[in-house]
């Protein structure tokens, strides 16, 4: 495929060097962070059901933050990151239940496995562009799902694995809702901080150059293939950790958890929050997770609402909520 | 004995391959008119069978009228989809994956609406000709298989005539070669895009109606069909409708052999592996250079 301008995302370009906003733009720039802090704060204080919802949202926030490195900062596309979440999640589940590993060690093993797979499949896959890349990654996600269903001796197929221990390091174990929430908040914050650092670094600027134009980046002496692979590995690592956290928080895993639904949900979050921004994945994950809770009586309508909302956002607000600030910045002289 | 079994599964592979081929052609028709990959293609297949079933069982229409209603309704839906989802993004020159995502979201919306308006039960249609299967040696050949193969071949032949001889067909091919040049020749490019969606939706619906009597349809069968059709299009070299048909036949055969040797659980994994092999080693398909 050609590297024509419409195969890349203009949304991602130039964000890293935007000037510091003033006035209304500055206020709107902080608004998403306030929403994030307010929602997590409420969950910490109130506890109970809302803290469960926010806990899921934070796990997804980590997953989406990683996806954002690959899609937002590098302007590539992956419909298959659920594969890496599945590897992290299943490795954690199997090692902690069948082999009595500690959660942290199992998470590390899952991370190593996900990175190894990402390196092996990333090399041929990342040469693809446009809809070929989309389909290649989608296929990887779907194959992983099939394997999770069929490899019953390890994954127990549709039955799933239950009795997974909660998160813990050494003698500390996060059992209560609040403890889990604190651990997840710290993890998600660390994840977001790393994305912010990456975006401002030399590495991040190289990714932005690749996002702008691969040919131009290559002409500037950037090793495009290696940087794309590195970006893919980082996002796969985030996905794997998110998968591990998920199985420990829920205590149960089945193939459905890491199905196509996960991909669609993550894309919705990424676009609601704002692709290519640091806060976007956090605010997107929190808002999208809170939304269906308000319509909890209508479970059947949830996917319908997700789909319709995703279309509306893609068509009318392609830069998401975190992009609102820029809308006003453009008007300013 | 196992030779007969192999022949039998080749026959069923070719029949399902025809359906994959029709879906693949649907992908190509839209891609050629616009450069867009429409992932709601599977929804058209599902709706073809589903709406025929509704016409037949709920409204008690004759079979042919129900099928006709389904094809027309799905074609109209294709145009609606083009107008409210695809066109605004196309105008904005949205990135390719935004378009894929938007059409995939449309697929989900259509799926869920079907689920809410009809139900979640798998449904099947009566076979077109209710006679015992023909016996060719030890291989049984059902009349529905013949309908699928004959119907698909007739459609492919019809499309060949349409693209080669009619003014509209030629205009669509012109759009595929170079949209700007086509515009300069006073070809209404945006109307061609709407037409491409209608045609491709109708093709999907026909594929669904032909296939449903041998399998079943339910609100969630769309995505696997869309993926199979896409794989067929890739094998054929994306944007070549007749290549896509041959690609569909090939995929159908590979899949049925995989079911025979590996068990039915891995049939999607086999199809997806075929896709990855082609993407990695032969992204231009079996018939030469990529467009």
């Amino acid at each position: 495929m050609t590297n024509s301008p419409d195969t890349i995302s203009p949304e991602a370009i130039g964000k890293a060097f935007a000037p510091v906003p003033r006035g209304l733009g500055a206020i709107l720039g902080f608004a998403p962070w306030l929403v994030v802090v307010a929602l997590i704060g409420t969950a910490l204080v109130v506890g109970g059901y809302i803290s469960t919802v926010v806990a899921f949202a934070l796990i997804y926030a980590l997953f989406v933050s990683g996806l954002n490195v690959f899609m937002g900062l590098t302007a590539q596309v992956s419909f298959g990151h659920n594969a890496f979440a599945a590897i992290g999640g299943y490795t954690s589940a199997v090692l902690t239940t069948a082999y009595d590993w500690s959660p942290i060690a199992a998470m590390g093993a899952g991370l190593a496995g996900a990175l190894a797979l990402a390196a092996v499949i990333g090399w041929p896959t990342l040469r693809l562009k446009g809809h070929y890349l989309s389909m290649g990654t989608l296929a990887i996600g779907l194959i992983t799902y099939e394997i999770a269903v069929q490899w019953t001796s390890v994954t127990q197929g549709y039955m799933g694995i239950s009795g997974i221990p909660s998160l813990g390091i050494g003698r500390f174990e996060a059992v209560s809702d609040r403890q889990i929430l604190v651990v997840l908040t710290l993890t998600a914050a660390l994840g977001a901080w790393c994305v912010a650092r990456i975006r401002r670094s030399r590495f991040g600027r190289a990714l932005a150059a690749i996002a702008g134009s691969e040919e131009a980046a290559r002409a500037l002496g950037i090793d495009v293939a290696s940087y794309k692979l590195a970006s893919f590995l980082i996002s796969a690592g985030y996905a794997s950790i998110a998968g591990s956290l998920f199985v420990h928080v829920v205590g149960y895993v089945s193939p459905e958890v890491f199905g196509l639904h996960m991909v669609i949900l993550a894309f919705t979050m990424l676009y609601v929050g704002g692709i290519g921004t640091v806060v976007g994945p956090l605010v997107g994950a929190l808002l999208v997770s809170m939304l269906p809770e308000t319509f909890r009586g209508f479970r059947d309508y949830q996917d319908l609402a997700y789909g319709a909302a995703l279309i509306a956002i893609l068509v009318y607000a392609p830069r998401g909520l975190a992009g609102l600030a820029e809308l006003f910045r453009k008007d300013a002289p | 004995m196992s030779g007969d079994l192999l022949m039998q599964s080749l026959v069923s592979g070719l029949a399902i391959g025809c359906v994959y081929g029709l879906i693949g052609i649907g992908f190509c028709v839209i891609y050629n008119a616009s450069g867009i990959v429409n992932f709601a293609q599977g929804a058209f297949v599902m709706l073809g069978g589903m709406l025929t079933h509704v016409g037949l069982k709920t409204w008690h229409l004759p079979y042919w009228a129900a099928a006709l209603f389904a094809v027309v309704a799905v074609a109209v839906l294709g145009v609606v989809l083009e107008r409210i989802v695809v066109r605004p993004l196309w105008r904005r020159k949205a990135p390719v994956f935004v378009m894929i995502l938007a059409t995939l979201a449309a697929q989900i919306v259509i799926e869920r609406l079907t689920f809410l308006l009809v139900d979640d039960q798998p449904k099947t249609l009566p076979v077109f000709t209710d006679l015992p299967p023909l016996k060719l040696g030890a291989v049984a050949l059902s009349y529905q298989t013949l309908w699928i193969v004959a119907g698909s071949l007739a459609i492919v032949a019809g499309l060949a005539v349409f693209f080669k001889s009619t003014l509209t067909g030629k205009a669509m091919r012109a759009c595929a070669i170079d949209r700007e040049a086509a515009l300069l020749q006073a070809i209404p490019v945006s109307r061609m895009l709407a037409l491409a969606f209608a045609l491709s939706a109708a093709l999907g619906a026909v594929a669904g109606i032909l296939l449903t009597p041998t399998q079943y349809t339910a609100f969630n069968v769309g995505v696997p069909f869309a993926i199979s059709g896409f794989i067929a299009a890739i094998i054929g070299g994306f944007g070549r409708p007749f290549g896509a048909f041959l690609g569909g036949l090939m995929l159908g055969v590979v899949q049925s052999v995989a079911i025979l040797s590996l068990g039915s659980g891995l049939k999607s994994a086999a199809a997806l592996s075929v896709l990855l092999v082609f993407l990695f080693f032969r992204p231009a398909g079996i018939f030469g250079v990529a467009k």
Side-chain angles (χ1 to χ4, degrees):
Chain A
M1 290 300 296
T2 56
N3 188 17
S4 66
D6 49 327
T7 60
I8 57 160
S9 151
E11 277 95 23
I13 304 164
K15 284 261 177 92
F17 317 107
V20 179
R22 295 210 177 99
L24 192 53
I27 297 167
L28 280 173
F30 279 117
W33 287 106
L34 291 179
V35 171
V36 170
V37 171
L39 282 173
I40 297 175
T42 311
L44 273 171
V45 174
V46 177
Y49 184 72
I50 185 175
S51 75
T52 314
V53 175
V54 170
F56 282 121
L58 288 169
I59 293 168
Y60 261 97
L62 195 65
F63 181 79
V64 178
S65 289
L67 202 57
N68 189 32
V69 171
F70 189 59
M71 289 184 53
L73 303 189
T74 325
Q76 302 296 307
V77 58
S78 170
F79 283 78
H81 265 56
N82 55 338
F84 306 118
I87 289 169
Y90 269 105
T91 309
S92 280
V94 171
L95 291 180
T96 52
T97 54
Y99 300 94
D100 286 328
W101 283 41
S102 76
I104 285 292
M107 191 181 289
L111 182 62
L115 290 179
L117 181 81
V120 170
I121 62 175
W123 177 73
T125 311
L126 296 183
R127 291 180 307 161
L128 305 169
K129 291 191 173 67
H131 55 258
Y132 286 62
L133 178 60
S134 310
M135 271 316 287
T137 49
L138 180 64
I140 288 159
L142 292 171
I143 289 175
T144 310
Y145 174 84
E146 293 276 324
I147 292 173
V149 173
Q150 298 294 330
W151 196 10
T152 43
S153 60
V154 172
T155 65
Q156 324 251 345
Y158 286 119
M159 294 265 292
I161 301 171
S162 52
I164 302 164
S166 22
L167 284 169
I169 306 172
R171 284 160 66 198
F172 167 76
E173 201 177 343
V175 188
S176 77
D177 285 349
R178 285 200 178 81
Q179 284 170 331
I180 290 173
L181 205 54
V182 169
V183 171
L184 292 177
T185 305
L186 292 176
T187 317
L190 181 67
W193 182 76
C194 290
V195 173
R197 291 296 303 238
I198 288 170
R199 210 166 73 129
R200 291 273 172 189
S201 68
R202 178 186 163 80
F203 177 73
R205 288 194 298 274
L207 297 185
I210 293 170
S213 158
E214 286 188 24
E215 270 88 18
R218 201 171 286 120
L220 290 171
I222 294 169
D223 184 354
V224 172
S226 306
Y227 276 94
K228 279 208 281 194
L229 186 61
S231 165
F232 189 65
L233 288 176
I234 291 170
S235 62
Y238 272 79
S240 166
I241 293 171
S244 294
L245 290 174
F246 187 94
V247 301
H248 284 299
V249 168
V250 180
Y252 170 78
V253 63
S254 74
E256 307 296 330
V257 172
F258 304 117
L260 191 58
H261 178 77
M262 183 181 204
V263 177
I264 302 291
L265 192 58
F267 275 90
T268 313
M269 289 167 173
L270 188 55
Y271 270 91
V272 166
I275 187 166
T277 62
V278 175
V279 70
L282 295 177
V283 72
L286 282 164
L287 287 182
V288 172
S289 308
M290 302 300 284
L291 214 73
E293 298 311 320
T294 45
F295 304 98
R296 217 169 354 132
F298 311 90
R299 267 201 80 78
D300 290 342
Y301 294 87
Q302 276 186 18
D303 281 347
L304 184 62
Y306 282 137
L310 186 53
I311 292 173
I313 289 164
L314 289 173
V315 173
Y316 298 108
R319 304 180 81 159
L321 293 177
L324 279 180
E326 259 134 276
L327 222 72
F328 286 86
R329 201 177 300 156
K330 244 182 246 164
D331 296 341
Chain B
M1 183 59 212
S2 101
D4 291 340
L5 202 60
L6 186 64
M7 278 306 292
Q8 186 72 58
S9 76
L10 282 182
V11 167
S12 63
L14 283 176
I16 187 98
C18 285
V19 173
Y20 294 160
L22 290 183
I23 304 167
I25 294 175
F27 272 105
C28 295
V29 168
I30 289 179
Y31 181 76
N32 283 346
S34 60
I36 290 167
V37 178
N38 168 38
F39 267 86
Q41 204 66 29
F44 301 148
V45 181
M46 179 271 289
L47 281 178
M50 194 60 88
L51 290 179
T52 309
H53 185 270
V54 169
L56 211 56
K57 300 287 156 164
T58 313
W59 299 338
H60 305 292
L61 295 173
Y63 206 158
W64 64 267
L68 188 66
F69 157 74
V71 173
V72 172
V74 172
V76 170
L77 180 75
V79 177
V80 170
L81 178 73
E82 191 268 339
R83 286 286 144 156
I84 62 175
V85 179
V86 172
R87 181 160 304 222
L89 292 171
W90 197 53
R91 286 248 170 85
R92 205 182 69 210
K93 295 203 187 333
V96 164
F97 69 88
V98 168
M99 194 67 86
I100 293 176
L101 191 56
T103 51
L104 205 55
Q107 158 90 33
I108 287 168
V109 168
I110 295 171
E111 243 175 41
R112 299 316 293 192
L113 279 176
T114 311
F115 170 77
L116 292 169
L117 296 176
V118 187
D119 56 33
D120 62 346
Q121 294 304 309
K123 304 181 186 341
T124 189
L125 290 170
V127 293
F128 295 180
T129 312
D130 195 8
L131 288 172
L134 296 173
K135 285 278 190 186
L136 297 176
V139 179
L141 199 57
S142 75
Y143 275 91
Q144 194 62 33
T145 307
L146 292 178
W147 270 107
I148 292 174
V149 175
S152 309
L153 290 177
I155 288 169
V156 171
L159 281 175
V161 172
F162 170 73
F163 280 121
K164 216 168 174 64
S165 313
T166 67
L167 196 60
T168 318
K170 285 179 187 164
M172 284 180 87
R173 276 199 302 156
C175 292
I177 295 164
D178 188 332
R179 276 193 292 284
E180 279 181 22
L183 203 59
L184 290 173
Q185 308 289 322
I187 292 170
V189 172
S190 82
R191 203 183 303 160
M192 290 299 139
L193 180 59
L195 187 65
F197 267 84
L199 183 60
S200 151
L203 275 172
V206 171
I209 296 167
L210 286 172
L211 186 66
T212 304
T214 68
Q215 305 194 341
Y216 68 93
T217 188
F219 74 100
N220 58 359
V221 299
V223 172
F225 278 123
I227 290 168
S228 301
F230 183 89
I231 298 173
I234 289 269
I235 295 176
F238 222 89
R240 295 158 186 267
F242 306 108
F245 191 73
L246 291 178
L249 292 179
M250 199 178 131
L251 179 65
V253 168
V254 168
Q255 212 174 45
S256 57
V257 171
I259 292 172
L260 201 61
S261 49
L262 303 171
S264 64
L266 287 170
K267 77 171 194 195
S268 332
L272 292 163
S273 307
V274 171
L275 170 70
L276 287 181
V277 166
F278 267 91
L279 283 178
F280 293 163
F281 300 110
R282 197 105 182 105
I286 32 180
F287 302 112
V289 286
K291 293 177 60 125

